[in-house]
Amino acid sequence: MSFQDRKNEIICKVAILAERQPLLSSRLWFHNDIRDNFYYASYLFAAAVNEPDRLPFEPDAAKKTAAAVLLEVLQLQDQNPNSETYGHWPLNLEPSPRQAKPHVLPVELMGSLMAFFAANYKSHFDKYLTAAFDAALTHIYRSNFYRVPMHHFNHHEAKYTAAKLIFGQLFEDAELFEDGRSSLQRTLAHIQKQGMSEYGCLPWFWHWVQAFTCAWQMTDDASVNKTLGEMLDFLWNERAAFYLKGTWAGTHSRGLRHDIPLDGNVLHDYVQFGDFKLPEEMPRTEYAGFLYYAAPETARHTALNRNEPTEVKKTITKPAGADTIKLHSYAYITADFAAGGMWERHEEFDNEQHRWDFTFPLGRQAGINQAYFFHPSGAYSNDDPRHQSGHTEVLYHKNTIMALYPIPEDKPNQIVGVLPKTDWQQEQNVLLGQIGHVYCAVYLMQPYQVELLNDRCTVTSRGSRNGVVMEVMSDTAAARLGLNSFEAFAAEAKRNHPVWSSDESFSVQYTTLEQAKLRISIDRYGNPDKRINERPINFTGYSL
């Protein structure tokens, strides 16, 4: 199946969802987020135009429905030039879309995509939709929402940069277009030198890809297109480094519920790589069915050839007031699983740093595909296992992760584990399970309880000093050690417990099944010491 086939599959699948969605009294499908109305209507309109024979409904009627929703969305724009929110749309439309207050976010992402959609489908618009798009795009251009000084080189500024190029060309504004060119060059130079401070950040990474792919497909200037290609090559190489069959291995600076503990934002990956089945649930449709830039061969080779285990080590520069700090990301990726995280705790937005996990390919088991433990930063709920506190020390070594949790007395003395749903054997202070072709041993310092949910197992363990050691390996790797079945692996794992200490020094020592000697200790002043085979951890060999 080609990338075009996969794009068409997404377009038709979302179009069918849109056609089945009942219209509300507002003549929209959704009130929770205006953008979903625009995305669904775009897909329904495009499918009715391009793929009428593949639709299980009458395409002309569907096209009229899509046009009506698009018209309703466009009419919600603030088109008063004297307004502080000129050119903007509301985000949440409750209780009444016509009374909803404009918000800064929708135009940031939707604006460029509206220009793309109009450029590609305007010949199929009626006069009313043509006029509405022309007016909306003019107000976007005149609003100057994209004229924001560059400081952070984040996903917001990436979208502003793309918008400068798109609207500068669309309205023949040479000054704006040159501003976009300069911003693009500065952004590319920054991330090539400093790395992406928004590491593993979903869905915001896809906003980078969307914005610059949209600009690349729309911009006529050859030199700008070349730089956009360099930007997209960088982004896809970054993506491929942490890719395993639709998943994003390792640490995340931020993530939404549909990406933790289940990789759900997979449509761009599906179009680009296509090495996993398209899931039924598509929480972020956005414009993955419309936009495409062929990833460089280096990225495709990295992503699609995981036969040999690979260690991915990256240094990431984060702003810290007037200074910067260095963070160090680690991932160990095999054909059957990945492990990794960030060596340092960093305070990210809403405590969303996802410090470490084991990741399993999509579709290998029902339910979630990530395994990890954390100390919650606040009240914990089963349906949102994110928001981690900083009371964690970690050690990463290939297929093994160790974590200590020195929890202050004034904090909840509970750590939470999230594990894929399988038949976990519950032994004293160890859980043993098999996920696809992978054997797993999870050791806990303190007693634990397991709750079986529809799509996962949740583990809770109490104690102000607690810890976890998790070692996993494929059945073929286990067989090379003479462990020719899960039962043999489990028996060996039960003989191979870590050694915990919570006296003067809070520590754990563990010898892996492949005989690596790992140790973390925390002295009474809170200073950690981490060693692999008696050697202190260092970050030589880490790259940007």
Side-chain angles (χ1 to χ4, degrees):
M1 185 184 288
S2 69
F3 78 87
Q4 189 61 56
D5 292 331
R6 293 192 290 272
K7 284 174 61 182
N8 291 340
E9 182 184 3
I10 291 172
I11 287 173
C12 289
K13 190 169 182 178
V14 179
I16 291 170
L17 292 174
E19 198 274 338
R20 292 174 179 170
Q21 185 75 24
L23 285 168
L24 304 174
S25 59
S26 62
R27 300 189 295 278
L28 297 169
W29 289 307
F30 308 101
H31 280 184
N32 58 310
D33 192 322
I34 190 175
R35 294 172 296 179
D36 289 332
N37 294 287
F38 173 64
Y39 300 144
Y40 269 53
S42 299
Y43 281 104
L44 185 58
F45 194 98
V49 169
N50 298 330
E51 303 288 333
D53 296 337
R54 295 182 58 182
L55 301 177
F57 45 78
E58 210 283 313
D60 287 340
K63 180 181 167 187
K64 289 179 181 178
T65 298
V69 173
L70 288 168
L71 191 60
E72 191 65 32
V73 167
L74 295 172
Q75 290 173 345
L76 294 177
Q77 184 187 35
D78 181 351
Q79 298 187 348
N80 178 4
N82 298 318
S83 170
E84 292 184 357
T85 55
Y86 174 51
H88 289 279
W89 275 266
L91 179 62
N92 187 297
L93 304 180
E94 292 290 1
S96 169
R98 293 300 176 109
Q99 276 72 53
K101 293 182 179 179
H103 192 282
V104 296
L105 285 180
V107 73
E108 183 183 304
L109 186 61
M110 261 190 342
S112 293
L113 301 183
M114 285 178 168
F116 174 89
F117 187 78
N120 284 273
Y121 290 94
K122 194 170 185 177
S123 62
H124 301 279
F125 294 172
D126 63 24
K127 63 180 182 180
Y128 303 105
L129 192 57
T130 299
F133 264 102
D134 287 346
L137 295 175
T138 300
H139 293 304
I140 292 172
Y141 165 64
R142 291 175 178 170
S143 74
N144 291 321
F145 83 91
Y146 36 72
R147 293 189 186 276
V148 178
M150 298 186 69
H151 295 300
H152 307 293
F153 299 97
N154 58 18
H155 65 286
H156 297 293
E157 293 174 10
K159 287 176 283 186
Y160 300 150
T161 295
K164 291 173 188 177
L165 294 171
I166 291 167
F167 286 93
Q169 176 175 286
L170 184 63
F171 288 92
E172 300 180 347
D173 185 332
E175 182 273 331
L176 178 60
F177 190 83
E178 288 305 310
D179 186 3
R181 184 199 302 268
S182 173
S183 297
L184 173 65
Q185 292 169 340
R186 289 179 59 200
T187 302
L188 179 59
H190 177 87
I191 63 174
Q192 286 174 332
K193 183 179 179 180
Q194 306 284 1
M196 298 190 74
S197 62
E198 296 177 313
Y199 53 89
C201 191
L202 298 174
W204 296 272
F205 177 86
W206 294 127
H207 290 181
W208 281 73
V209 171
Q210 260 186 169
F212 290 123
T213 304
C214 187
W216 179 80
Q217 290 190 222
M218 294 190 69
T219 303
D220 296 332
D221 185 284
S223 66
V224 168
N225 252 59
K226 182 177 182 295
T227 308
L228 285 166
E230 293 172 7
M231 170 67 77
L232 289 165
D233 286 351
F234 179 96
L235 294 173
W236 279 110
N237 277 310
E238 178 78 8
R239 171 65 192 112
F242 298 97
Y243 180 83
L244 177 62
K245 292 181 170 63
T247 71
W248 193 304
T251 187
H252 302 279
S253 58
R254 292 191 64 187
L256 296 185
R257 292 189 187 196
H258 55 251
D259 291 307
I260 300 171
L262 171 64
D263 287 276
N265 194 345
V266 299
L267 297 187
H268 289 283
D269 282 332
Y270 181 71
V271 172
Q272 189 69 249
F273 302 121
D275 63 336
F276 60 96
K277 183 180 178 182
L278 182 63
E280 289 300 317
E281 295 291 327
M282 296 183 292
R284 285 271 167 160
T285 58
E286 295 185 346
Y287 257 39
F290 294 99
L291 302 171
Y292 177 73
Y293 173 88
E297 191 55 38
T298 53
R300 292 187 57 79
H301 184 270
T302 298
L304 299 175
N305 293 275
R306 292 296 187 189
N307 297 326
E308 295 298 323
T310 303
E311 288 183 292
V312 182
K313 301 178 179 181
K314 286 185 177 285
T315 300
I316 295 159
T317 304
K318 296 284 289 190
D323 204 354
T324 59
I325 60 170
K326 300 287 187 182
L327 304 181
H328 299 88
S329 169
Y330 176 88
Y332 178 74
I333 307 177
T334 75
D336 297 298
F337 69 88
M342 186 68 75
W343 283 100
E344 299 89 359
R345 162 69 176 181
H346 187 75
E347 201 71 25
E348 302 288 355
F349 175 83
D350 202 22
N351 289 320
E352 287 187 19
Q353 186 190 46
H354 187 60
R355 186 72 178 276
W356 67 266
D357 74 21
F358 285 84
T359 298
F360 303 91
L362 294 179
R364 292 290 175 88
Q365 70 288 317
I368 68 169
N369 70 300
Q370 297 164 10
Y372 61 94
F373 282 74
F374 69 108
H375 178 248
S377 62
Y380 165 71
S381 64
N382 272 333
D383 67 339
D384 188 12
R386 301 177 297 153
H387 310 293
Q388 307 183 16
S389 81
H391 308 301
T392 310
E393 292 294 342
V394 292
L395 187 152
Y396 308 109
H397 180 66
K398 298 183 177 179
N399 60 324
T400 302
I401 296 177
M402 307 205 309
L404 289 180
Y405 300 91
I407 303 171
E409 292 184 1
D410 62 341
K411 302 296 182 182
N413 65 341
Q414 170 183 273
I415 62 172
V416 176
V418 182
L419 301 176
K421 193 168 185 180
T422 191
D423 185 17
W424 291 97
Q425 292 184 21
Q426 301 178 40
E427 307 285 345
Q428 184 175 7
N429 293 94
V430 62
L431 286 150
L432 301 160
Q434 180 173 354
I435 300 168
H437 298 288
V438 179
Y439 304 151
C440 307
V442 184
Y443 304 96
L444 287 100
M445 181 178 179
Q446 304 290 358
Y448 64 85
Q449 297 80 41
V450 175
E451 181 182 5
L452 300 177
L453 303 176
N454 288 334
D455 65 343
R456 71 192 71 176
C457 298
T458 297
V459 184
T460 55
S461 179
R462 295 189 179 279
S464 59
R465 287 190 168 188
N466 214 333
V468 175
V469 174
M470 187 166 179
E471 181 174 12
V472 313
M473 62 175 50
S474 67
D475 53 7
T476 54
R480 288 195 291 269
L481 301 177
L483 307 174
N484 293 308
S485 66
F486 171 70
E487 290 72 22
F489 169 86
E492 183 65 23
K494 284 187 279 189
R495 290 191 289 269
N496 196 46
H497 275 264
V499 177
W500 309 94
S501 172
S502 58
D503 298 327
E504 183 74 12
S505 174
F506 178 26
S507 67
V508 58
Q509 300 180 66
Y510 181 69
T511 301
T512 71
L513 294 177
E514 294 181 319
Q515 300 307 301
K517 298 182 183 299
L518 314 180
R519 173 183 170 85
I520 309 177
S521 63
I522 304 172
D523 66 21
R524 61 180 177 174
Y525 302 107
N527 301 310
D529 182 47
K530 306 175 186 183
R531 295 175 181 266
I532 298 174
N533 294 328
E534 306 303 324
R535 294 190 293 273
I537 302 297
N538 65 66
F539 298 112
T540 58
Y542 271 64
S543 62
L544 283 177

